Amino acid sequence: MTTTETGSAPGPGSDTGSDTGTHSSTGTAAASAAEGRGLGRRLRRLCTLLGPMYVKFGQILSTRSDLLPPGAVAELRVLQDNGRAMGPRRVVRTLEREYGKPLGQVFASFDPVPVASASIAQVHHATLRDGGTAARKAGNGDGNGDGTGTRVAVKVVKRGVPASMRLHLALLGGLVRTAHALLPPIRTLRMPRRVAEIGRLLAEQLSMETERANMTAVAENFAGHPFVRVPRSYPELSTDRVLVMEYVEGIRGSEFAQVDVPPRELARRLQDILLTMLYLDGTCHGDMHPGNILLTRDGRFTLIDFGITAYYTEAEKWGLVSFNNAAIHHRWDLAVRRFTEYFVETDAGRKKRRRTRGKTGTGAATATGTGTGTAASRPPTAAETLLADESYTTALKEVFVHHFETASDRWSGTDFFRDVSEVLRRHGVSYTAAYTKGELAMLSCEGFMAQIDPELDIWENTRRFADRYSTSLSGAVKERFDAYFAAATPKSLAMRDRARRSLVAPTHLDRYFFPSAYPLFIAGGSGARLTDLDGNEYIDLAGGGGPALLGRGHPVVREALRSAAATCNINALGHEPEVALAELLTDAFPGADRAVFSNSGTESALHAIRLCRVRRPGARRIAKFEGHFHGFSDQAMVSSWFRVAGPRDAPEAVAGCPGTPAGTVRDTLVLQFGHPRSLDILRRNASDVAGVLVEPLPTTAGGIDRDYLAALRALCTELDIPLVFDEVVSGFRVAYGGVQTLTGITPDLTVLGKIIGGGLPCGALVGTAEMIEYGRTTGDPFRDAEERGFLGGTMSGNHLSCSTGLAALTHLRDNPGVYADLERRTELLADGMRAVAEDHGVPMRLRARHSVFSLAFTHKDLPYFRDSLHGVNFRATTALAYWMRMYGVYLPELHAFLISAAHTDEDVASVLRSFDRSVGEMRAAGLFVT
């Protein structure tokens, strides 16, 4: 709880009394404040007279100092928390009717005089009958400080307001519909639809249960945030007309001048809050005027009054981010296409959306524009028809160029929405409901930001925020990297430029989504060290993506390779190392009777999928988990990389990249790992599921959920569905024999790769005799065609890979102490990195177990993959990789990294020193809003 000179304010409002607006004592400021007061007073009285719906409009206008004179704005601010209130006796009667008992049996004390009264509800102080235990549990002392009870705020919907709101909405809607029908010139404005959407949002404010749910959703998203908090609610004391919540004290939003943070920084924080909700969380406070915000002296925000809250789907969030990304980089054709596809709607498209709303079944595939083979067989969509109209695309492009480039330093959301609306109106279309939902939030927040700092460059801050989704760097940071790497790695950069003329290298130079601007070309490596062409040495935290568990060039691997290379590399013929490696693998994994080799984990995952379908010939779908990576095949990449779709608890399949057949997406059932509902979804779809593919240690999770894996194993056994563990990363990294050895949970098939080749290409599928035998010929070609799956690979099980893999795994089997040392150093490095981030005041989540690390610069807990995806600041992660590179540590441009058995305690200390310098300089460079 925060105490300030302004007195106390409860959760959803602030102290009573008229807002004085500005704080200047000069005659000029007084004259400025007086300007327009008469207009504002008349508007305020008119809004009050007309009813709560119009009071809400007046609150929105009170943030628009760009539209009204200062005096008018000051007068309208009174509507934020000093509206007409119910009398004390009526308040008590209303509450006792809701609780069905005397108020004294609910609260230890209750003040019937409101401390704030807005358009729909009013707020009162009260104390609970708990002796302050609730406040102590929440870390807020003992309530009043005397043990008499926890202080709370009680928000009550005013009597008569629901009926008045519904009446006025109905009257306004009828008036607009009549005008729409009788006046053809205004039909293009599509006002009935816009009024209906706004009316729906306003009507939601009448339900305190809805507001409590909104408050809880936003509170979960901002848990742990460095400068945002949301009061906790008391569901056991709340009803649809009453909301009881934590009592909060603070500075009223309109009195921001009392905050000891520069106005520009305070305004930037407010904008960061808005953009976080819109772009990352998809749950956005829709009414962020000053009356709904409390401040602390050090610039922290308490968000209150969640009656209007906008929710965005994953597709809508993707649309917002991808559109802004195109606009930021002045890719105007892309901006026009993305805006049109995601946020423009015709009457026909809207009717179709209404007809199909709710028809998508659980586990359905989502249309993403990435499937192939469908465009030629269907009529053009409304968006495609619009985009074929040159007058439309030209007009919209001109609007974007003006606002995002020509006038970006004096950005006005009001002007932008007006200009876009005019283009859409001329072409007989309008915004989607999704875009309308955000318009109110953006406009009210923009007005407040402009009051805090009239010179704030709103679009520049938006660009900086949206850049977190981009790996491209700009400004002083890029200039520094350009200069450093040009001087320190000229040979690597020259090789990069040479490679561009002949090579595409998706694993390092041209990594999908995350290309390397300053790649290293390596001359050699040993242990935990790499040396580039320019002679620079780096501590290696990439490990080649996983194979180098023993470090680079381990002696036993070198000797095995030297010995095997002394003869020819035997492939497509039998040899002893192939049999010996198969024996070693089947001995290492519980329940593994047979092994079949391939050249990579991707190939072995394909083998597993094929054998599952042979085992269950009537089932067409493969179940996998959102964010789990199983290689680069079409089905393995579904919902595994960068894009997600559908609700969190019931994800929908989305293609991993363009070129993915739509049928493959449809044939994939995507589940949420660790979510209990996922098991119910699997059960309901069991008859059509051929197999379940899972990473038992997801890279983004940094830990093993044994209970969930056990439940999944039990369900697959019950349903007779093969369970496949993808242990390509974890197989010999977390323990000898992988996750299944640690947990005692045995799958039917296990996909392996990386470490099992000792640094050379090698993949394997191991499993029960029944499952693997589906890949062995029967000796009868007719039976094979009906009963067996073909598993090919010319270089599978070749002599060199099997020899080095056998040497590496034998060393791990005979030296179990390797794993204890790895785990100790994992904890040492992780604890050190967390301490560094905390010292610098940088929000960071680091998950680390069994030598696998996953880092995200965020305040959020990351229970599921999509939370990790939304929480990752890709720009900061990329910048960290280059900063660490400058200080002698090779970190990939990704959120995940690894250590090896070759790393020492001294290496860990060196990495921590580099991390400390890097994070400190990143903070100073403005890569974090803190």
Side-chain angles (χ1 to χ4, degrees):
M1 185 176 295
T2 305
T3 303
T4 71
E5 291 83 345
T6 63
S8 64
S14 56
D15 289 341
T16 57
S18 178
D19 191 347
T20 59
T22 64
H23 297 270
S24 172
S25 60
T26 65
T28 301
S32 176
E35 181 187 353
R37 275 200 183 273
L39 171 63
R41 195 173 296 114
R42 289 190 293 273
L43 286 172
R44 174 167 57 83
R45 289 171 179 168
L46 179 63
C47 291
T48 303
L49 178 65
L50 290 175
M53 185 178 72
Y54 300 92
V55 171
K56 178 58 63 180
F57 291 148
Q59 291 174 342
I60 297 170
L61 280 175
S62 74
T63 70
R64 303 307 306 187
S65 53
D66 56 332
L67 301 179
L68 295 172
V73 169
E75 282 290 335
L76 288 171
R77 284 179 188 159
V78 175
L79 296 173
Q80 293 173 4
D81 53 26
N82 196 26
R84 185 179 298 167
M86 287 190 294
R89 284 186 293 180
R90 177 169 285 191
V91 170
V92 172
R93 287 199 302 269
T94 298
L95 287 172
E96 290 183 340
R97 186 180 300 112
E98 284 296 304
Y99 289 126
K101 65 179 72 173
L103 208 54
Q105 295 181 20
V106 181
F107 301 108
S109 67
F110 177 81
D111 186 350
V113 178
V115 295
S117 178
S119 57
I120 292 172
Q122 58 193 58
V123 180
H124 298 260
H125 287 166
T127 56
L128 300 181
R129 302 170 59 86
D130 65 348
T133 56
R136 286 193 293 273
K137 288 179 181 178
N140 296 327
D142 66 349
N144 284 320
D146 56 7
T148 58
T150 299
R151 289 185 290 181
V152 295
V154 181
K155 184 174 182 179
V156 188
V157 176
K158 300 177 188 178
R159 285 190 64 182
V161 164
S164 174
M165 177 76 80
R166 295 186 184 103
L167 174 62
H168 284 88
L169 283 173
L171 290 174
L172 180 61
L175 179 62
V176 167
R177 287 192 298 274
T178 300
H180 184 80
L182 297 178
L183 303 173
I186 72 168
R187 290 175 186 169
T188 54
L189 297 176
R190 303 175 185 275
M191 291 304 297
R193 175 172 168 268
R194 294 177 69 84
V195 169
E197 182 65 24
I198 292 173
R200 185 188 63 77
L201 291 173
L202 292 177
E204 286 179 356
Q205 290 196 292
L206 300 174
S207 169
M208 294 296 99
E209 285 291 347
T210 298
E211 179 167 344
R212 187 178 65 81
N214 294 339
M215 176 187 295
T216 300
V218 176
E220 289 175 352
N221 289 332
F222 279 112
H225 196 282
F227 56 80
V228 180
R229 64 169 304 204
V230 176
R232 62 174 292 221
S233 65
Y234 292 81
E236 69 278 10
L237 296 176
S238 300
T239 70
D240 202 46
R241 289 197 64 185
V242 180
L243 175 60
V244 180
M245 70 196 81
E246 175 188 359
Y247 175 91
V248 179
E249 293 178 309
I251 301 169
R252 290 179 290 184
S254 58
E255 297 175 349
F256 55 82
Q258 298 185 28
V259 175
D260 296 331
V261 171
R264 180 146 303 175
E265 179 60 30
L266 190 67
R268 186 184 172 196
R269 287 185 180 184
L270 177 59
Q271 187 176 8
D272 186 85
I273 295 169
L274 173 67
L275 297 177
T276 295
M277 291 189 292
L278 282 174
Y279 293 164
L280 305 185
D281 299 338
T283 305
C284 182
H285 192 307
D287 196 15
M288 290 176 64
H289 63 68
N292 288 338
I293 290 176
L294 297 175
L295 299 164
T296 63
R297 283 284 184 189
D298 59 356
R300 286 174 289 150
F301 289 72
T302 297
L303 307 184
I304 51 184
D305 196 347
F306 295 87
I308 298 179
T309 301
Y311 289 86
Y312 285 83
T313 66
E314 293 298 330
E316 289 165 350
K317 286 193 294 181
W318 176 271
L320 281 173
V321 174
S322 61
F323 162 67
N324 275 296
N325 181 270
I328 285 167
H329 295 97
H330 298 168
R331 296 167 184 153
W332 306 120
D333 291 335
L334 267 180
V336 169
R337 177 173 65 78
R338 289 172 179 170
F339 185 86
T340 303
E341 288 177 347
Y342 286 100
F343 300 117
V344 177
E345 186 170 63
T346 64
D347 284 335
R350 185 163 56 257
K351 291 174 183 176
K352 179 180 178 182
R353 180 164 55 85
R354 283 200 297 265
R355 288 196 305 268
T356 58
R357 185 176 293 155
K359 291 185 180 180
T360 301
T362 300
T366 297
T368 64
T370 58
T372 61
T374 59
S377 59
R378 59 166 173 77
T381 64
E384 289 168 345
T385 300
L386 268 178
L387 292 170
D389 183 344
E390 186 176 353
S391 65
Y392 167 82
T393 57
T394 299
L396 198 56
K397 187 184 301 184
E398 288 174 354
V399 171
F400 292 165
V401 171
H402 172 74
H403 288 283
F404 294 125
E405 183 175 28
T406 308
S408 64
D409 60 342
R410 48 190 187 279
W411 172 265
S412 168
T414 302
D415 293 345
F416 172 73
F417 290 122
R418 180 200 63 211
D419 293 347
V420 172
S421 294
E422 175 60 22
V423 173
L424 301 185
R425 183 192 64 80
R426 291 202 309 265
H427 289 82
V429 293
S430 61
Y431 295 133
T432 61
Y435 209 72
T436 303
K437 285 189 295 186
E439 185 177 355
L440 178 64
M442 289 185 275
L443 290 178
S444 63
C445 193
E446 180 180 306
F448 188 16
M449 288 186 290
Q451 289 177 359
I452 297 173
D453 179 14
E455 302 302 319
L456 181 70
D457 191 337
I458 291 176
W459 176 242
E460 171 60 19
N461 283 340
T462 301
R463 184 194 65 75
R464 292 174 65 179
F465 184 93
D467 266 358
R468 65 190 290 136
Y469 271 105
S470 172
T471 59
S472 61
L473 302 168
S474 59
V477 171
K478 183 177 185 301
E479 291 173 3
R480 178 176 180 184
F481 289 152
D482 285 345
Y484 173 82
F485 289 109
T489 64
K491 293 181 180 178
S492 282
L493 295 185
M495 189 65 72
R496 174 199 65 186
D497 296 339
R498 174 183 166 188
R500 284 175 177 166
R501 295 191 292 269
S502 60
L503 174 67
V504 175
T507 58
H508 49 105
L509 299 180
D510 307 295
R511 191 184 297 112
Y512 202 54
F513 290 128
F514 303 102
S516 182
Y518 311 101
L520 296 183
F521 284 81
I522 301 302
S526 179
R529 295 291 197 281
L530 295 170
T531 304
D532 67 15
L533 295 179
D534 296 281
N536 302 301
E537 188 174 86
Y538 306 88
I539 297 175
D540 178 21
L541 293 185
L549 177 65
L550 295 176
R552 304 283 184 170
H554 192 278
V556 298
V557 176
R558 285 179 182 269
E559 179 55 35
L561 182 59
R562 184 180 300 110
S563 176
T567 183
C568 66
N569 183 23
I570 305 167
N571 71 288
L573 289 168
H575 52 88
E576 194 273 337
E578 182 181 25
V579 177
L581 183 57
E583 292 170 340
L584 189 147
L585 292 176
T586 54
D587 286 344
F589 289 91
D593 305 311
R594 306 281 191 275
V596 58
F597 288 110
S598 68
N599 297 292
S600 67
T602 292
E603 291 182 24
S604 287
L606 283 168
H607 287 172
I609 291 170
R610 179 164 294 170
L611 293 186
C612 286
R613 286 197 164 114
V614 173
R615 167 70 167 72
R616 286 172 63 88
R620 63 184 178 87
R621 305 176 82 182
I622 293 294
K624 69 181 297 291
F625 292 86
E626 185 176 84
H628 288 206
F629 186 72
H630 306 291
F632 58 82
S633 69
D634 288 342
Q635 191 151 40
M637 282 190 64
V638 169
S639 297
S640 71
W641 190 244
F642 204 66
R643 290 204 64 178
V644 295
R648 171 187 287 189
D649 60 349
E652 295 169 3
V654 58
C657 70
T660 303
T664 300
V665 180
R666 288 193 298 270
D667 286 346
T668 308
L669 176 66
V670 178
L671 306 171
Q672 191 64 264
F673 185 79
H675 199 289
R677 190 182 175 197
S678 64
L679 301 180
D680 295 333
I681 294 172
L682 178 59
R683 181 183 294 278
R684 288 200 300 271
N685 290 273
S687 63
D688 201 27
V689 174
V692 177
L693 191 57
V694 60
E695 279 189 285
L697 175 62
T699 304
T700 55
I704 300 168
D705 187 341
R706 189 194 182 284
D707 290 343
Y708 183 78
L709 290 173
L712 181 63
R713 172 68 277 181
L715 182 60
C716 287
T717 300
E718 175 193 340
L719 300 174
D720 193 30
I721 298 175
L723 177 62
V724 184
F725 276 12
D726 184 336
E727 295 224 48
V728 170
V729 173
S730 60
F732 287 92
R733 180 169 287 276
V734 305
Y736 188 83
V739 171
Q740 53 202 270
T741 299
L742 290 179
T743 62
I745 299 169
T746 304
D748 300 291
L749 293 171
T750 300
V751 179
L752 298 170
K754 297 188 185 295
I755 295 169
I756 69 166
L760 270 64
C762 189
L765 181 66
V766 302
T768 64
E770 179 206 0
M771 289 299 301
I772 298 295
E773 286 293 325
Y774 284 115
R776 191 199 298 272
T777 180
T778 64
D780 179 341
F782 297 99
R783 284 189 62 197
D784 282 0
E786 297 172 348
E787 303 172 11
R788 294 293 183 261
F790 176 75
L791 307 178
T794 301
M795 298 301 295
S796 298
N798 72 81
H799 185 242
L800 291 179
S801 295
C802 288
S803 297
T804 54
L806 186 62
L809 299 188
T810 299
H811 180 82
L812 288 171
R813 182 196 62 193
D814 296 342
N815 293 274
V818 165
Y819 293 102
D821 289 342
L822 271 174
E823 194 62 30
R824 182 181 64 81
R825 291 197 177 99
T826 298
E827 293 178 4
L828 184 65
L829 180 56
D831 290 345
M833 294 179 74
R834 294 186 187 108
V836 166
E838 184 176 356
D839 288 346
H840 287 287
V842 172
M844 184 191 77
R845 290 289 183 266
L846 179 67
R847 296 180 172 186
R849 288 291 303 277
H850 310 298
S851 76
V852 180
F853 295 75
S854 179
L855 179 150
F857 288 113
T858 180
H859 65 279
K860 295 176 178 291
D861 288 328
L862 309 171
Y864 302 111
F865 166 75
R866 63 176 58 191
D867 301 307
S868 177
L869 177 66
H870 298 154
V872 171
N873 184 333
F874 295 115
R875 180 169 176 261
T877 304
T878 301
L880 174 66
Y882 300 142
W883 244 292
M884 294 286 280
R885 213 164 290 178
M886 290 195 298
Y887 298 129
V889 177
Y890 177 65
L891 190 70
E893 295 94 332
L894 298 167
H895 60 84
F897 56 96
L898 308 160
I899 62 172
S900 73
H903 286 86
T904 64
D905 289 356
E906 291 73 20
D907 292 329
V908 170
S910 294
V911 170
L912 290 176
R913 286 192 294 271
S914 298
F915 186 67
D916 188 17
R917 292 184 66 182
S918 298
V919 172
E921 292 177 16
M922 290 170 67
R923 189 179 191 277
L927 269 75
F928 310 107
V929 179
T930 56

